[in-house]
Amino acid sequence: MNNNPFFNALLATGYISILVTLIFNSPKFITDNELGMMAPILFLSTFVLSTAMMGYFFVYQPVQLLIEGKKEEATKLFLTTVFAFACITGAMVLAWFLLSSALS
């Protein structure tokens, strides 16, 4: 992990994209009848893993900086990472709207 908020935001976006791609394509391989009790276990496990990953991408470096006594730098890194992630998400939504209207 580094102090580049844009890199951290891109990592978070990449993780989410890979996870959603796997989940979206999983019905082709597994039916609900086959999952049974595994469905809630898989859901909660994925939730916990995602929470840990997002905590690492967004919080780990700022907390390290806070421990070192660099409060302003920690705040700036956290907020810049969140802002960069919001911009990436906004750009993806905008691209989706533009592409969907162009293809219709």
Side-chain angles (χ1 to χ4, degrees), residues 1-2 11 14-17 22 25 32-34 41 44 47-48 50 54 57-58 69-70 74 79 85-86 91 93 104:
M1 189 61 28
N2 60 31
L11 284 175
Y15 170 76
I16 291 170
S17 298
L22 291 172
N25 290 318
D32 287 335
N33 295 336
E34 292 175 1
I41 293 170
L44 287 173
F47 176 72
V48 170
S50 295
M54 292 304 116
F57 293 142
F58 287 91
K70 301 175 182 176
L79 292 177
F85 184 72
V93 169
S104 304

Side-chain angles (χ1 to χ4, degrees), residues 63-74:
V63 167
Q64 290 293 334
L65 291 170
L66 225 93
I67 290 171
E68 295 172 4
K70 301 175 182 176
K71 184 178 178 181
E72 288 182 24
E73 194 176 331

Side-chain angles (χ1 to χ4, degrees), residues 9-85:
L10 282 173
L11 284 175
T13 303
Y15 170 76
I16 291 170
S17 298
I18 290 169
L19 187 63
V20 169
T21 301
L22 291 172
I23 291 171
F24 185 73
N25 290 318
S26 67
K28 296 175 184 175
F29 305 111
I30 302 172
T31 63
D32 287 335
N33 295 336
E34 292 175 1
L35 280 179
M37 186 151 172
M38 284 302 292
I41 293 170
L42 291 172
F43 172 77
L44 287 173
S45 298
T46 303
F47 176 72
V48 170
L49 177 65
S50 295
T51 304
M53 294 297 291
M54 292 304 116
Y56 182 73
F57 293 142
F58 287 91
V59 180
Y60 177 73
Q61 269 317 116
V63 167
Q64 290 293 334
L65 291 170
L66 225 93
I67 290 171
E68 295 172 4
K70 301 175 182 176
K71 184 178 178 181
E72 288 182 24
E73 194 176 331
T75 304
K76 181 181 177 186
L77 177 61
F78 177 75
L79 292 177
T80 307
T81 303
V82 171
F83 181 73
F85 184 72

